[in-house]
Amino acid sequence: MGDQELQETEEEKDLGVYVNSSMKFSRQCAESVKKANRMIGIIKRNFTNFDRKVVLNLCKALVRPHLDYCVPVWKPYLRKDIQLLEGVQMRMTKIIHGMRNKTFEERLKELRLMTIEQRHLRQDMITFYNITQGRKNMQVDNYVDILGESNTRGHNMKIRPSRVRFEVRRNSYFKRIWKAWNKLPQEAVTAQTLNKFKNSIADCGIFKGRGDLLSR
């Protein structure tokens, strides 16, 4: 560029997100988990009240932002990375009074929490809703085809992703969200406000009916 020779690189950090040539985002997952676990350690060292409400509020303010920051960009698809992220929630829920001896599934059910994977899917849906509402500066028809009215069940804003030629794009944002979006109810995709959209998808089967006390 000009007189400056551009160097080839395999990985760069841009706006806090590690991006590499494979687009697998394993480094980003590891860094996010490291920061989130550090916050849990700080909570355990500096608080003595591990009541349910206290811990969930602390985690909402201090832990979750590290797992959710810019996640539509780097949401993992490798099982090992998904499990790595879920390990943070396993550790977080264990410190709540009365939860240590319960299984992880029991803790989630009693606390009415989604898994990390479910919550990230929810965030994907919210992001696409905002795109359809013109709240994101993005031309959606460059990435998906809007099918509109069809003879199949469901809403009238179904989408189909554009074909991809390269393997690196097979797990990109639009390729991973279209099936879940197409399963949403009509009242969700036509919701007039973001809060109405969130309420409409709260009981969808893809979220298994969990309220997610950390979601609001």
Side-chain angles (χ1 to χ4, degrees):
M1 184 175 291
D3 296 330
Q4 186 76 26
E5 182 179 350
L6 297 179
Q7 300 294 319
E8 184 175 339
T9 179
E10 288 295 314
E11 184 176 76
E12 288 292 334
K13 185 179 182 181
D14 187 27
L15 297 178
V17 177
Y18 287 94
V19 182
N20 61 28
S21 58
S22 71
M23 300 298 286
K24 291 181 178 177
F25 295 104
S26 292
R27 171 76 183 278
Q28 176 64 28
C29 291
E31 294 294 329
S32 298
V33 166
K34 186 188 301 181
K35 293 175 183 177
N37 280 333
R38 189 180 302 136
M39 289 297 103
I40 293 177
I42 290 173
I43 291 171
K44 290 175 70 175
R45 290 193 299 271
N46 291 277
F47 289 84
T48 56
N49 182 1
F50 295 115
D51 175 80
R52 176 183 309 192
K53 184 177 180 179
V54 171
V55 174
L56 291 181
N57 283 335
L58 285 170
C59 287
K60 179 180 179 180
L62 301 176
V63 178
R64 199 177 77 173
H66 295 295
L67 302 179
D68 289 354
Y69 171 71
C70 220
V71 76
V73 173
W74 60 268
K75 180 183 174 183
Y77 60 90
L78 296 177
R79 182 51 51 184
K80 68 180 183 66
D81 292 331
I82 294 171
Q83 291 174 344
L84 187 65
L85 292 176
E86 202 62 60
V88 176
Q89 186 153 257
M90 289 181 183
R91 186 181 178 200
M92 178 193 81
T93 54
K94 259 191 175 181
I95 69 176
I96 298 174
H97 282 315
M99 294 290 162
R100 175 168 291 276
N101 295 324
K102 297 180 185 292
T103 66
F104 181 51
E105 289 73 20
E106 289 172 340
R107 297 199 299 272
L108 289 179
K109 185 175 182 179
E110 188 166 336
L111 296 170
R112 297 181 63 242
L113 294 175
M114 296 179 188
T115 63
I116 298 292
E117 188 174 15
Q118 288 170 332
R119 198 171 70 241
H120 285 177
L121 175 60
R122 177 181 181 273
Q123 186 59 45
D124 278 346
M125 296 297 98
I126 291 171
T127 297
F128 191 72
Y129 170 79
N130 284 330
I131 292 173
T132 64
Q133 297 297 306
R135 296 170 185 166
K136 303 283 186 182
N137 186 20
M138 179 179 291
Q139 290 295 114
V140 68
D141 53 1
N142 289 338
Y143 305 96
V144 297
D145 298 321
I146 306 294
L147 302 181
E149 297 286 352
S150 69
N151 295 325
T152 60
R153 293 181 183 179
H155 58 77
N156 60 1
M157 292 181 63
K158 289 187 176 182
I159 60 174
R160 180 175 57 205
S162 303
R163 291 185 177 182
V164 297
R165 293 185 296 165
F166 303 104
E167 185 67 28
V168 74
R169 289 191 58 192
R170 294 197 183 280
N171 293 286
S172 60
Y173 175 74
F174 291 102
K175 287 292 289 184
R176 72 169 183 258
I177 64 108
W178 71 279
K179 289 183 179 180
W181 175 264
N182 288 349
K183 290 179 181 178
L184 295 181
Q186 179 72 24
E187 60 268 23
V189 300
T190 57
Q192 296 299 306
T193 67
L194 181 57
N195 280 338
K196 286 183 179 179
F197 176 78
K198 290 179 179 179
N199 290 335
S200 295
I201 68 174
D203 293 326
C204 288
I206 56 176
F207 303 114
K208 297 184 180 178
R210 287 174 179 153
D212 190 3
L213 297 178
L214 294 178
S215 66
R216 299 181 184 280

